[in-house]
Amino acid sequence: MEKTSRDPAMTDVARLAGVSHQTVSRVLNNHPNVREQTRLRVQAAIKELDYRPNRAARALVTGKTQLIGVVAQNSTLYGPASLLSAFEEAAGQAGFAVSVGRVKVLDRGSIAAAVERHRDQRVAGIVVIAPTSSAADALADVPAGVPLVTVDGDPDRPTPLVTVDQARGAFEATMHLLKAGHETVWHVSGPADWFDAAGRVEGWRQALDTASAEVPPVVAADWSAASGYRAGQMLARMPEVTAVFCSNDHLALGVLRAMSERGRSVPRDVSVVGFDDVPEAAYFIPPLTTVRPDFAAVARETLGLLLEQVSDGETTRPQRTIAPMLVSRESVAPPPK
Amino acid sequence: MEKTSRDPAMTDVARLAGVSHQTVSRVLNNHPNVREQTRLRVQAAIKELDYRPNRAARALVTGKTQLIGVVAQNSTLYGPASLLSAFEEAAGQAGFAVSVGRVKVLDRGSIAAAVERHRDQRVAGIVVIAPTSSAADALADVPAGVPLVTVDGDPDRPTPLVTVDQARGAFEATMHLLKAGHETVWHVSGPADWFDAAGRVEGWRQALDTASAEVPPVVAADWSAASGYRAGQMLARMPEVTAVFCSNDHLALGVLRAMSERGRSVPRDVSVVGFDDVPEAAYFIPPLTTVRPDFAAVARETLGLLLEQVSDGETTRPQRTIAPMLVSRESVAPPPK
DNA sequence: CGACCTGGTGTTATCGCTAACATCACCGGC
DNA sequence: GCCGGTGATGTTAGCGATAACACCAGGTCG
């Protein structure tokens, strides 16, 4: 009767290498005081047994896990999804596992519950993707002492925060259009309760102010192509509209379509700029000039900020913004004569 | 000098309730042999101390974690992203945390590495979202003994697998078009190395066979709207094309646009059906008739199959397919006279 | 009415690791 | 040539839970 023998433990490695288990532990944790020869023997034994340290045992004695909890909305929007994916990659490379707690709606109760689930797991730290004010409000409920970083959250709160510099991206996009010769730039905005959308409105307005251009009314939409299309139908009817900055690429797609349907050629008659640089943006007709946020950088900074809190308990400068990049394609041209 | 006292442990609860720590353990694990009165005392103590069991300690002694590892491609495609999100929710409700290992490309090496990372974490089981043959191949490297379920993988392999019944969805979509009176149905297909795409081609062909309709050549594309648009440009030029089944909604979007550009009205001149029911599909112009996979059901089945393996070691019937649902909107009509 | 079960509880060993201390050989300096 | 320092290693004691067994009271049964 062969019982499947249990996974090898540190003592098994120690026995094979002819040392004590403590020496194995020292090799594993790169302690300096181990003779080179001994280290090699131990490493050979580890490889031979396909030994892997038991994280539970380590966590038990150190009191720390190698787990990071992320709270994110259960959505497939490009921005948040990319962010999450980038963060998982960054954390993975740093040797941390990521446990994702999805939330249907970003309200206090749901977020608090997700945070509790993570605390139950004794995560080392928590990241909350909190792009709306209701989500940011919910963070007030998180007990102090838990390392916490907010991504895409409210820039006006003192909590540790990493965010794309929405205003700067919008500023550059708008400036790009103004420099092409347009007298002013219209804006199709995302939902007002999203910080991303608010920041982009702000950057757009600043650019117009800087250039002393007239500030047209904001055209409000949500993030969808459908709402961009509706906004576009309106704008297409107004001959004075020659340049439009859209709060994301899907809105821009809707605008492109509306323009094309009314026979206004992009970029000959109207120039359009988006935000996000979704993978399809280069295949729109025409290929879309847009602003690309560096999600990988956001992820790296977030992780850095979190690990700083985990080890030091505190952070020196708890806010980071990541400058996005304008990607110039073919949807921008000088205005018609 | 106040040192922040450590989290309460089981013994603290036991002391407060006036019982042994073992009794606390029994209460926590719902053992039957505990007097009601004792149970209440213990529960009160747990609440008072805000005690939460230490998972590391439990994992150490039981040898099992409450963690499930998922390997998924680092993509933002609607299908895989939805699946992942649904699975995280299902697992969360069953008390499992989900650790996601993202992979850039679905090749043997990357998948093997991701699986190894999960094994290091001693996950209870692993789910691999393996929609292409290269991904399915990589599973050969996974050592036996690790509970493993494949989602969206190769239906022709014997590994435990849960998948949407692509062929059936495609069959119904095609039948829907034939019943509307179309003589035959054209198909714009996803990439050939995706099982999803292959299954949908098969279902489409079966439906045509069943109705003894002519089988036109498959129009090959990838999953993008851009490629759908190119396919659509071709189809729009052919007057005999009155019905098109697209392998996903984005392709359908491209086709819709191409048709509209060439003045062929949908659904009056041409009927179009998609697959996936992306959130925007109802806002396409016209609102798109499509096939909705039940991602939540896939997630539930996957979890069930995995937990069955975890507890029993084996599974009886290791393959499950989930029937999708046709969602009828406004992009289908009888063919023009 | 003593043997035996059984429900409720406590005691002890154990999981696999790290931290802290113990040990021991070897070194240089006065 | 004895002393303290230092580098390499071993020994021991937990971390916080579960499992296995021990124990004890009270009821059942022959």
Side-chain angles (χ1 to χ4, degrees), chain B residues 28-48:
Chain B
L28 246 43
N29 294 289
N30 294 315
H31 276 257
N33 297 349
V34 178
R35 204 162 23 126
E36 192 54 24
Q37 193 192 344
T38 313
R39 181 186 306 280
L40 293 175
R41 270 218 317 285
V42 170
Q43 280 164 346
I46 287 174
K47 184 164 283 177
E48 182 174 342

Side-chain angles (χ1 to χ4, degrees), chain B residues 198-251:
Chain B
R200 291 170 199 177
V201 169
E202 193 191 321
W204 163 74
R205 209 183 299 264
Q206 279 173 4
L208 294 182
D209 284 354
T210 304
S212 304
E214 196 193 334
V215 180
V218 168
V219 182
D222 55 35
W223 293 123
S224 72
S227 74
Y229 177 72
R230 285 191 294 273
Q233 282 180 315
M234 189 186 82
L235 294 172
R237 246 181 272 117
M238 304 164 59
E240 73 271 29
V241 174
T242 65
V244 182
F245 164 54
C246 299
S247 202
N248 82 354
D249 289 352
H250 287 123
L251 290 170

Side-chain angles (χ1 to χ4, degrees), chain A residues 241-259:
Chain A
V241 174
T242 65
V244 182
F245 166 52
C246 300
S247 203
N248 82 354
D249 289 353
H250 287 123
L251 290 170
L253 180 62
V255 168
L256 287 181
R257 172 152 184 214
M259 290 295 169

